[in-house]
Amino acid sequence: MICSMTGYAAKTREFAGGSLQLELKSVNSRYLDFHFRVAEELRALELPLRELLASRLSRGKIECRLALGAANARSEQPRLNSELLASLRELSRQVRTEIPEALPLSVNEMLRWPGMFGEQSLDPAAVGSEVLALAREVLDEFTASRSREGDKLAALINDRVQAMRAIVARVAPRIPEAQALFTEKLRQRLVDALGNASDERILQEVTVFATRIDVAEELGRLLTHLDEVERVLKQGGACGKRLDFLMQELNREANTLGSKSAVTEVSQAAIELKLLIEQMREQIQNLE
């Protein structure tokens, strides 16, 4: 299975203490980079969440949002915790006595104070198991979404691999004849230029030049790298870094092919190959 680094999933889970909302989304990153936005009451669960996500993900900038909502239904009207309210009022008075310029607590701040509506403490063990159960469900959907996108990217990469093979298959049979014609023209020019030079001298020059423009090795290595790209795609898993390295190798061969070319067909093929390699690199940047 090949995964993209782009994904999204979100779920809500009801439990005795209220409701939990967990959202995961990710974008490209060279490494595994977590950003958590967790409700204050659930802050202690950030580490277990991080460990769970890290066990299933290897690359990407992952944003995790975990929120706690109140229970959907209440049997009675919410009541203020009068003792807590009095304590806050007294603490606010003491602070303002020591620091006159300090602002008093607002109504909104008091209403949002933990425990203001009676006893709302959560059982850490119970809420922890609920959060992790929800996280596993969301993570399953999240990895499935990344896998679907990864399959599409792999198909696009494979299409370009086949296009590169077609270019090599089209050009390779024509190269020996084209290079032979070019070296013959060079031989004739040397004869015309050197005049009385020996045939051995001309043959030596032509042979050296023919060696310089021989691209058989580059084409062979190019096909070998394409074989490896197909193998990595078939193997699956976290393969983005490996494929990116192979793109560098393919690009090196295409550049050498273009620089050594003395034939128009090979020069054009090198340009087409480099374009396909660049397209693959853009897609590979999204792979885990």
Side-chain angles (χ1 to χ4, degrees), residues 60-80:
K61 182 177 180 180
I62 316 295
E63 183 174 336
C64 176
R65 296 170 181 259
L66 177 62
L68 175 65
N72 288 335
R74 292 182 179 271
S75 58
E76 57 183 19
Q77 187 73 15
R79 295 182 180 179
L80 292 175

PDB file of all heavy atoms in Angstrom, residues 60-80:
ATOM      1  N   GLY A  60       4.795  13.503   6.996  1.00  0.00           N
ATOM      2  CA  GLY A  60       3.682  14.423   6.815  1.00  0.00           C
ATOM      3  C   GLY A  60       3.562  15.378   7.984  1.00  0.00           C
ATOM      4  O   GLY A  60       4.004  15.085   9.102  1.00  0.00           O
ATOM      5  N   LYS A  61       2.987  16.535   7.712  1.00  0.00           N
ATOM      6  CA  LYS A  61       2.682  17.499   8.769  1.00  0.00           C
ATOM      7  C   LYS A  61       1.259  17.211   9.218  1.00  0.00           C
ATOM      8  O   LYS A  61       0.298  17.493   8.512  1.00  0.00           O
ATOM      9  CB  LYS A  61       2.802  18.928   8.240  1.00  0.00           C
ATOM     10  CG  LYS A  61       2.556  19.989   9.287  1.00  0.00           C
ATOM     11  CD  LYS A  61       2.756  21.384   8.702  1.00  0.00           C
ATOM     12  CE  LYS A  61       2.499  22.458   9.747  1.00  0.00           C
ATOM     13  NZ  LYS A  61       2.693  23.819   9.188  1.00  0.00           N
ATOM     14  N   ILE A  62       1.120  16.614  10.407  1.00  0.00           N
ATOM     15  CA  ILE A  62      -0.162  16.121  10.895  1.00  0.00           C
ATOM     16  C   ILE A  62      -0.759  17.095  11.901  1.00  0.00           C
ATOM     17  O   ILE A  62      -0.111  17.436  12.894  1.00  0.00           O
ATOM     18  CB  ILE A  62      -0.014  14.738  11.582  1.00  0.00           C
ATOM     19  CG1 ILE A  62       0.886  13.810  10.758  1.00  0.00           C
ATOM     20  CG2 ILE A  62      -1.376  14.124  11.839  1.00  0.00           C
ATOM     21  CD1 ILE A  62       0.353  13.426   9.429  1.00  0.00           C
ATOM     22  N   GLU A  63      -1.985  17.529  11.644  1.00  0.00           N
ATOM     23  CA  GLU A  63      -2.695  18.383  12.602  1.00  0.00           C
ATOM     24  C   GLU A  63      -3.807  17.562  13.244  1.00  0.00           C
ATOM     25  O   GLU A  63      -4.648  16.979  12.554  1.00  0.00           O
ATOM     26  CB  GLU A  63      -3.288  19.607  11.909  1.00  0.00           C
ATOM     27  CG  GLU A  63      -3.967  20.552  12.894  1.00  0.00           C
ATOM     28  CD  GLU A  63      -4.440  21.842  12.240  1.00  0.00           C
ATOM     29  OE1 GLU A  63      -3.872  22.215  11.196  1.00  0.00           O
ATOM     30  OE2 GLU A  63      -5.383  22.456  12.780  1.00  0.00           O
ATOM     31  N   CYS A  64      -3.773  17.499  14.563  1.00  0.00           N
ATOM     32  CA  CYS A  64      -4.756  16.731  15.329  1.00  0.00           C
ATOM     33  C   CYS A  64      -5.533  17.675  16.236  1.00  0.00           C
ATOM     34  O   CYS A  64      -4.953  18.373  17.066  1.00  0.00           O
ATOM     35  CB  CYS A  64      -4.046  15.655  16.164  1.00  0.00           C
ATOM     36  SG  CYS A  64      -5.151  14.708  17.239  1.00  0.00           S
ATOM     37  N   ARG A  65      -6.864  17.689  16.077  1.00  0.00           N
ATOM     38  CA  ARG A  65      -7.735  18.508  16.921  1.00  0.00           C
ATOM     39  C   ARG A  65      -8.631  17.582  17.745  1.00  0.00           C
ATOM     40  O   ARG A  65      -9.325  16.742  17.176  1.00  0.00           O
ATOM     41  CB  ARG A  65      -8.616  19.431  16.074  1.00  0.00           C
ATOM     42  CG  ARG A  65      -7.848  20.466  15.268  1.00  0.00           C
ATOM     43  CD  ARG A  65      -8.778  21.162  14.277  1.00  0.00           C
ATOM     44  NE  ARG A  65      -8.079  22.151  13.477  1.00  0.00           N
ATOM     45  CZ  ARG A  65      -8.102  23.457  13.691  1.00  0.00           C
ATOM     46  NH1 ARG A  65      -8.809  23.935  14.714  1.00  0.00           N
ATOM     47  NH2 ARG A  65      -7.450  24.281  12.911  1.00  0.00           N
ATOM     48  N   LEU A  66      -8.607  17.767  19.042  1.00  0.00           N
ATOM     49  CA  LEU A  66      -9.435  16.964  19.943  1.00  0.00           C
ATOM     50  C   LEU A  66     -10.232  17.907  20.839  1.00  0.00           C
ATOM     51  O   LEU A  66      -9.648  18.687  21.594  1.00  0.00           O
ATOM     52  CB  LEU A  66      -8.563  16.029  20.789  1.00  0.00           C
ATOM     53  CG  LEU A  66      -9.292  15.182  21.831  1.00  0.00           C
ATOM     54  CD1 LEU A  66     -10.304  14.239  21.171  1.00  0.00           C
ATOM     55  CD2 LEU A  66      -8.292  14.384  22.669  1.00  0.00           C
ATOM     56  N   ALA A  67     -11.555  17.821  20.731  1.00  0.00           N
ATOM     57  CA  ALA A  67     -12.423  18.716  21.510  1.00  0.00           C
ATOM     58  C   ALA A  67     -13.373  17.890  22.361  1.00  0.00           C
ATOM     59  O   ALA A  67     -13.758  16.769  22.008  1.00  0.00           O
ATOM     60  CB  ALA A  67     -13.206  19.637  20.581  1.00  0.00           C
ATOM     61  N   LEU A  68     -13.767  18.471  23.490  1.00  0.00           N
ATOM     62  CA  LEU A  68     -14.718  17.835  24.409  1.00  0.00           C
ATOM     63  C   LEU A  68     -15.973  18.693  24.467  1.00  0.00           C
ATOM     64  O   LEU A  68     -15.912  19.885  24.749  1.00  0.00           O
ATOM     65  CB  LEU A  68     -14.101  17.696  25.800  1.00  0.00           C
ATOM     66  CG  LEU A  68     -14.997  17.154  26.903  1.00  0.00           C
ATOM     67  CD1 LEU A  68     -15.390  15.707  26.619  1.00  0.00           C
ATOM     68  CD2 LEU A  68     -14.295  17.268  28.255  1.00  0.00           C
ATOM     69  N   GLY A  69     -17.105  18.073  24.163  1.00  0.00           N
ATOM     70  CA  GLY A  69     -18.371  18.786  24.214  1.00  0.00           C
ATOM     71  C   GLY A  69     -19.209  18.319  25.386  1.00  0.00           C
ATOM     72  O   GLY A  69     -19.023  17.224  25.930  1.00  0.00           O
ATOM     73  N   ALA A  70     -20.162  19.169  25.817  1.00  0.00           N
ATOM     74  CA  ALA A  70     -21.056  18.800  26.917  1.00  0.00           C
ATOM     75  C   ALA A  70     -22.002  17.706  26.466  1.00  0.00           C
ATOM     76  O   ALA A  70     -22.226  17.482  25.273  1.00  0.00           O
ATOM     77  CB  ALA A  70     -21.842  20.029  27.364  1.00  0.00           C
ATOM     78  N   ALA A  71     -22.562  17.008  27.429  1.00  0.00           N
ATOM     79  CA  ALA A  71     -23.543  15.966  27.117  1.00  0.00           C
ATOM     80  C   ALA A  71     -24.715  16.584  26.356  1.00  0.00           C
ATOM     81  O   ALA A  71     -25.114  17.722  26.605  1.00  0.00           O
ATOM     82  CB  ALA A  71     -24.029  15.300  28.403  1.00  0.00           C
ATOM     83  N   ASN A  72     -25.273  15.811  25.433  1.00  0.00           N
ATOM     84  CA  ASN A  72     -26.362  16.323  24.587  1.00  0.00           C
ATOM     85  C   ASN A  72     -27.622  16.668  25.373  1.00  0.00           C
ATOM     86  O   ASN A  72     -28.353  17.586  25.046  1.00  0.00           O
ATOM     87  CB  ASN A  72     -26.708  15.303  23.508  1.00  0.00           C
ATOM     88  CG  ASN A  72     -25.611  15.234  22.466  1.00  0.00           C
ATOM     89  OD1 ASN A  72     -24.881  16.192  22.275  1.00  0.00           O
ATOM     90  ND2 ASN A  72     -25.498  14.087  21.821  1.00  0.00           N
ATOM     91  N   ALA A  73     -27.885  15.917  26.397  1.00  0.00           N
ATOM     92  CA  ALA A  73     -29.136  16.143  27.148  1.00  0.00           C
ATOM     93  C   ALA A  73     -28.845  16.208  28.638  1.00  0.00           C
ATOM     94  O   ALA A  73     -28.013  15.483  29.159  1.00  0.00           O
ATOM     95  CB  ALA A  73     -30.128  15.021  26.868  1.00  0.00           C
ATOM     96  N   ARG A  74     -29.551  17.112  29.291  1.00  0.00           N
ATOM     97  CA  ARG A  74     -29.420  17.212  30.749  1.00  0.00           C
ATOM     98  C   ARG A  74     -30.820  17.140  31.354  1.00  0.00           C
ATOM     99  O   ARG A  74     -31.773  17.709  30.837  1.00  0.00           O
ATOM    100  CB  ARG A  74     -28.750  18.532  31.149  1.00  0.00           C
ATOM    101  CG  ARG A  74     -27.291  18.616  30.748  1.00  0.00           C
ATOM    102  CD  ARG A  74     -26.682  19.925  31.208  1.00  0.00           C
ATOM    103  NE  ARG A  74     -25.286  20.028  30.861  1.00  0.00           N
ATOM    104  CZ  ARG A  74     -24.296  19.615  31.603  1.00  0.00           C
ATOM    105  NH1 ARG A  74     -24.554  19.015  32.762  1.00  0.00           N
ATOM    106  NH2 ARG A  74     -23.052  19.754  31.216  1.00  0.00           N
ATOM    107  N   SER A  75     -30.902  16.456  32.492  1.00  0.00           N
ATOM    108  CA  SER A  75     -32.211  16.272  33.131  1.00  0.00           C
ATOM    109  C   SER A  75     -32.638  17.517  33.902  1.00  0.00           C
ATOM    110  O   SER A  75     -33.802  17.656  34.251  1.00  0.00           O
ATOM    111  CB  SER A  75     -32.147  15.069  34.082  1.00  0.00           C
ATOM    112  OG  SER A  75     -31.134  15.272  35.054  1.00  0.00           O
ATOM    113  N   GLU A  76     -31.709  18.432  34.171  1.00  0.00           N
ATOM    114  CA  GLU A  76     -32.061  19.619  34.931  1.00  0.00           C
ATOM    115  C   GLU A  76     -31.308  20.824  34.410  1.00  0.00           C
ATOM    116  O   GLU A  76     -30.324  20.691  33.682  1.00  0.00           O
ATOM    117  CB  GLU A  76     -31.731  19.395  36.416  1.00  0.00           C
ATOM    118  CG  GLU A  76     -30.277  19.047  36.667  1.00  0.00           C
ATOM    119  CD  GLU A  76     -29.999  18.770  38.127  1.00  0.00           C
ATOM    120  OE1 GLU A  76     -30.959  18.488  38.867  1.00  0.00           O
ATOM    121  OE2 GLU A  76     -28.826  18.834  38.521  1.00  0.00           O
ATOM    122  N   GLN A  77     -31.800  21.990  34.785  1.00  0.00           N
ATOM    123  CA  GLN A  77     -31.166  23.233  34.355  1.00  0.00           C
ATOM    124  C   GLN A  77     -29.774  23.340  34.972  1.00  0.00           C
ATOM    125  O   GLN A  77     -29.581  23.030  36.142  1.00  0.00           O
ATOM    126  CB  GLN A  77     -32.026  24.413  34.820  1.00  0.00           C
ATOM    127  CG  GLN A  77     -31.576  25.774  34.298  1.00  0.00           C
ATOM    128  CD  GLN A  77     -31.892  25.942  32.834  1.00  0.00           C
ATOM    129  OE1 GLN A  77     -32.681  25.176  32.300  1.00  0.00           O
ATOM    130  NE2 GLN A  77     -31.277  26.928  32.203  1.00  0.00           N
ATOM    131  N   PRO A  78     -28.770  23.734  34.165  1.00  0.00           N
ATOM    132  CA  PRO A  78     -27.419  23.883  34.723  1.00  0.00           C
ATOM    133  C   PRO A  78     -27.411  24.869  35.891  1.00  0.00           C
ATOM    134  O   PRO A  78     -28.100  25.892  35.854  1.00  0.00           O
ATOM    135  CB  PRO A  78     -26.607  24.429  33.531  1.00  0.00           C
ATOM    136  CG  PRO A  78     -27.386  24.033  32.329  1.00  0.00           C
ATOM    137  CD  PRO A  78     -28.828  24.031  32.738  1.00  0.00           C
ATOM    138  N   ARG A  79     -26.646  24.555  36.908  1.00  0.00           N
ATOM    139  CA  ARG A  79     -26.547  25.417  38.087  1.00  0.00           C
ATOM    140  C   ARG A  79     -25.102  25.826  38.303  1.00  0.00           C
ATOM    141  O   ARG A  79     -24.195  25.025  38.172  1.00  0.00           O
ATOM    142  CB  ARG A  79     -27.068  24.670  39.324  1.00  0.00           C
ATOM    143  CG  ARG A  79     -28.550  24.335  39.249  1.00  0.00           C
ATOM    144  CD  ARG A  79     -28.995  23.632  40.523  1.00  0.00           C
ATOM    145  NE  ARG A  79     -30.419  23.291  40.475  1.00  0.00           N
ATOM    146  CZ  ARG A  79     -31.066  22.653  41.433  1.00  0.00           C
ATOM    147  NH1 ARG A  79     -30.407  22.287  42.537  1.00  0.00           N
ATOM    148  NH2 ARG A  79     -32.340  22.375  41.303  1.00  0.00           N
ATOM    149  N   LEU A  80     -24.965  27.097  38.671  1.00  0.00           N
ATOM    150  CA  LEU A  80     -23.632  27.598  38.947  1.00  0.00           C
ATOM    151  C   LEU A  80     -23.092  27.004  40.241  1.00  0.00           C
ATOM    152  O   LEU A  80     -23.836  26.770  41.195  1.00  0.00           O
ATOM    153  CB  LEU A  80     -23.647  29.122  39.060  1.00  0.00           C
ATOM    154  CG  LEU A  80     -23.928  29.911  37.776  1.00  0.00           C
ATOM    155  CD1 LEU A  80     -24.021  31.396  38.095  1.00  0.00           C
ATOM    156  CD2 LEU A  80     -22.838  29.656  36.750  1.00  0.00           C
TER     157      LEU A  80
END
